[in-house]
Amino acid sequence: FWARPRLGRLHPLCPFSPAGLRRWLSSRAPAPRICVVGSGPAGFYTAQHILKHHDLAEVDIYEKLPVPFGLVRFGVAPDHPEVKNVINTFTHTARSDRCAYYGNVTVGRDVTVGELQQAYHAVVLSYGAEDNRVLGIPGENLSGVYSARAFVGWYNGLPENRDLKPDLSCETALILGHGNVALDIARILLSPLDFLRKTDITDCSLAALACSKVKRVWLAGRRGPLQVAFTIKELREMINLPGTQPVLNPADFTGLENAVKEAPRPRKRLTELMIKTALEKPREKAVMAQAAVPRQWGLKFQRSPQEVLPTPDGMRVRGVRMALTRLEGSGDSAKAVPTGDMEELECGLVLSSIGYRSLPLDPAVPFDTQRGIIPNNLGRVVGVPGLYCSGWVKRGPVGVIITTMNDSFDTAQSVLEDLQGGVLDVSVSREGFGAVGSILRSRGIRPVSFSEWEKIDAAEVARGKAAGKPREKMVDPQEMLLSQGRPAPLVQGGTVCCLPVGSSKQNRQGH
Ligand SMILES: Cc1cc2nc3c(=O)[nH]c(=O)nc-3n(C[C@H](O)[C@H](O)[C@H](O)COP(=O)(O)OP(=O)(O)OC[C@H]3O[C@@H](n4cnc5c(N)ncnc54)[C@H](O)[C@@H]3O)c2cc1C
Ligand SMILES: NC(=O)c1ccc[n+]([C@@H]2O[C@H](COP(=O)([O-])OP(=O)(O)OC[C@H]3O[C@@H](n4cnc5c(N)ncnc54)[C@H](OP(=O)(O)O)[C@@H]3O)[C@@H](O)[C@H]2O)c1
């Protein structure tokens, strides 16, 4: 009788429907209202765990962009559609009648964390890492140098990077860093166009890649083969990429077979694959075929970037000066120490892929600038009761979606324990979106609901269908809003404002 599937079919006004049951229960005790900031994996998994393990809690998710899912939409490579299946789980959560999505709301600007804390019993910050680490070396801002974050955002249709227009007119590209993002970029640069055409890569980046002259990609890391941060599946994909040839120097792997014997299994298998690839003697037929291979990629080790070198006219990049390094210590904790020798690597395109970085959100929220995280204890923000964090902003910009899921479940568990243990006072009801909606209205911000996102989604899928793609992403926030028949919006910073009738520009800018 109480079982969810049966209740789910009942009319919401029926006292035995989930909504009716909640109303009945909440007439006795106010439902905990929880707010989550950010709709990436961390936000959605935190919401999912709270909703699953608390029968009354209601969760509102606020997202800066009109569209949800964070790096699943804007980071995961277009040729990895299977990874994006987590969106189905997130959609299921968003459709729960105890969950609401409010896109197009930049927390910290459109509404403060303090205001959210007034409106909710608990606030969970899951806003990811929206910036990138910088090398801090001369020439880093030369034309032809891009952060991996911007490049990934560009081919994935992130609005802020849609106009990047990377210059792909050179033959040699250098990617700095040995992580999975570096491999993603190398693969996108070298993949046959016919592969990419069937993905959700944006039309304009596909057109730019079609004209690309890049045929050689070096990936340079400051440490050695035993310290690479990428994983075996991604390396294997690169090795098997049609029309490309891996160029690994056997000398880089001398003695490593023994050294890796005792290493954990993933590291051992990864190293063995690199060694095998480096030492593989191609058979005669394959040699002939390789002679015709138009594209190459390779790994360079123990090279630390010191300066991006300009062309004689000073206008753009012509190479990178690298310090050769030796390793002090062993295994993951080995440190790269310059030997004093230098080398110049010629290239016309540099992609700095040395990691993402979280930013502070609001003066009310403590932030560890050194580590780039919100200081926390099992997701509880240090010194601010009722405030929590999950995902990359909690533990730094590393870890795949599963890692983020586990970490978000831990934070959700902390929230649940604090609800149960009375640390969070739910005796007084909170207005939730009732209060926040008024604040946003007064500031001219109109949130996008999940059903509105579903209209954008349907429009994107329909546009992609004609070209045989899973979707053609909208890259302009204004277009996203117009596609739902909204009045022409204005863009402020990143958020799109829909002016309520009679409101003035001064009102909007006054906040
Ligand atoms: C290029 C790239 C490719 C990746 N590929 C894979 C892969 O193939 N497989 C895999 O398992 N993992 C992959 N990962 C890792 C995975 O994406 C992360 O583990 C995960 O996305 C981190 O989740 P998050 O929710 O903490 O951050 P995010 O996914 O970044 O989500 C944060 C959300 O918060 C929003 N936000 C930011 N500021 C505000 C604000 N002020 N107000 C409101 N909302 C805000 C953002 O718009 C975003 O939607 C990849 C990572 C990158 C960078
Ligand atoms: N397919 C996938 O599953 C997938 C795809 C993309 C991303 N991801 C995940 O997303 C997370 C982020 O990936 P990422 O590639 O951005 O980060 P990452 O895995 O942390 O790799 C960063 C790389 O940059 C190097 N680096 C950092 N600072 C440097 C400096 N100052 N100079 C030179 N090199 C420097 C690091 O070398 P050191 O080790 O020497 O510091 C490392 O090789 C990772 O957990 C990754 O696995 C997964």
Side-chain angles (χ1 to χ4, degrees), residues 38 40-42 63-64 70-71 75 107 127-128 130 356 361 392 399-401 404:
E63 165 60 47
K64 169 178 160 168
L71 285 168
V107 172
Y127 64 88
E130 290 223 292
Y356 283 51
L361 182 70
W392 276 15
V400 291
I401 293 169
T404 300

Side-chain angles (χ1 to χ4, degrees), residues 36-45 61-65 67-77 80 82-84 86 101-102 104-111 125-130 148-149 152-153 155-156 158 180-182 184-185 187 233-234 355-356 358-361 390-405 407-408 495:
V36 169
V37 177
S39 71
F44 268 108
Y45 281 126
I61 301 175
Y62 290 87
E63 165 60 47
K64 169 178 160 168
L65 293 165
V67 295
F69 311 137
L71 285 168
V72 178
R73 176 179 165 105
F74 293 116
V76 171
H80 285 172
E82 69 290 348
V83 178
K84 303 185 194 205
V86 291
Y101 167 82
Y102 301 106
N104 191 37
V105 178
T106 300
V107 172
R109 194 191 62 187
D110 301 336
V111 57
L125 302 172
S126 316
Y127 64 88
E130 290 223 292
R149 187 184 59 81
V152 167
Y155 64 63
N156 273 328
L158 183 63
N180 276 328
V181 173
D184 273 357
I185 292 178
R187 204 175 61 253
K233 179 176 163 285
E234 286 63 32
Y356 283 51
S358 294
L359 297 172
L361 182 70
S390 67
W392 276 15
V393 75
K394 170 187 175 189
R395 56 166 213 281
V398 280
V400 291
I401 293 169
I402 297 278
T403 329
T404 300
M405 179 188 81
D407 154 88
S408 305
T495 299

Side-chain angles (χ1 to χ4, degrees), residues 159-497:
E160 70 173 84
N161 300 126
R162 70 194 145 154
D163 297 323
L164 188 73
K165 294 192 181 70
D167 183 347
L168 307 177
S169 62
C170 65
E171 292 198 347
T172 304
L174 174 62
I175 303 178
L176 301 170
H178 275 168
N180 276 328
V181 173
L183 280 192
D184 273 357
I185 292 178
R187 204 175 61 253
I188 295 296
L189 280 172
L190 296 177
S191 279
L193 270 192
D194 282 345
F195 276 31
L196 297 178
R197 250 190 262 285
K198 299 180 201 121
T199 72
D200 68 3
I201 192 167
T202 60
D203 245 358
C204 95
S205 30
L206 195 61
L209 288 164
C211 303
S212 167
K213 297 274 183 291
V214 176
K215 58 181 191 183
R216 200 173 305 106
V217 176
W218 294 117
L219 296 103
R222 59 183 169 183
R223 299 194 290 161
L226 292 182
Q227 288 80 28
V228 294
F230 52 72
T231 39
I232 192 163
K233 179 176 163 285
E234 286 63 32
L235 176 68
R236 193 176 290 124
E237 227 178 328
M238 204 60 214
I239 292 168
N240 295 332
L241 197 63
T244 63
Q245 181 193 4
V247 183
L248 302 189
N249 182 357
D252 287 332
F253 301 92
T254 312
L256 286 194
E257 220 145 349
N258 277 336
V260 85
K261 266 193 183 132
E262 301 302 317
R265 193 171 144 75
R267 172 69 67 192
K268 185 167 175 276
R269 289 181 57 227
L270 174 64
T271 312
E272 284 167 356
L273 179 59
M274 284 190 278
I275 296 173
K276 179 170 169 269
T277 310
L279 301 182
E280 211 157 52
K281 295 252 183 310
R283 276 184 257 125
E284 214 171 303
K285 227 171 158 189
V287 174
M288 306 256 292
Q290 275 181 4
V293 164
R295 294 174 164 195
Q296 290 183 327
W297 65 275
L299 299 171
K300 296 213 175 261
F301 298 103
Q302 294 181 231
R303 279 153 172 84
S304 173
Q306 300 301 303
E307 182 182 358
V308 181
L309 304 165
T311 46
D313 61 7
M315 295 304 281
R316 47 171 298 111
V317 52
R318 72 164 172 85
V320 176
R321 179 172 295 124
M322 310 287 265
L324 304 193
T325 66
R326 64 183 167 79
L327 294 185
E328 254 178 25
S330 61
D332 283 352
S333 57
K335 283 206 158 46
V337 180
T339 62
D341 292 328
M342 293 282 179
E343 176 188 272
E344 283 186 12
L345 265 174
E346 301 246 322
C347 60
L349 170 66
V350 174
L351 292 144
S352 168
S353 184
I354 60 165
Y356 283 51
R357 192 169 72 105
S358 294
L359 297 172
L361 182 70
D362 184 307
V365 182
F367 193 79
D368 179 339
T369 41
Q370 198 73 30
R371 298 174 61 205
I373 58 164
I374 297 175
N376 69 90
N377 191 352
L378 295 176
R380 295 177 180 94
V381 176
V382 171
V384 192
L387 195 60
Y388 301 80
C389 58
S390 67
W392 276 15
V393 75
K394 170 187 175 189
R395 56 166 213 281
V398 280
V400 291
I401 293 169
I402 297 278
T403 329
T404 300
M405 179 188 81
N406 289 326
D407 154 88
S408 305
F409 287 175
D410 289 347
T411 292
Q413 199 55 38
S414 295
V415 175
L416 292 168
E417 280 169 22
D418 290 354
L419 281 172
Q420 202 180 11
V423 176
L424 291 171
D425 178 12
V426 287
S427 62
V428 179
S429 72
R430 299 285 174 109
E431 270 193 84
F433 184 72
V436 175
S438 309
I439 293 172
L440 294 175
R441 239 185 336 274
S442 73
R443 292 170 185 169
I445 305 294
R446 193 174 141 199
V448 170
S449 68
F450 201 75
S451 59
E452 286 176 316
W453 145 248
E454 289 183 308
K455 285 187 198 147
I456 298 172
D457 181 36
E460 288 186 343
V461 171
R463 275 164 37 154
K465 207 168 187 179
K469 298 171 74 174
R471 71 175 62 240
E472 185 57 54
K473 286 180 189 169
M474 292 181 198
V475 297
D476 180 350
Q478 303 219 20
E479 191 191 357
M480 293 172 188
L481 297 194
L482 286 170
S483 75
Q484 312 151 42
R486 288 195 179 194
L490 291 160
V491 177
Q492 276 189 327
T495 299
V496 184
C497 310

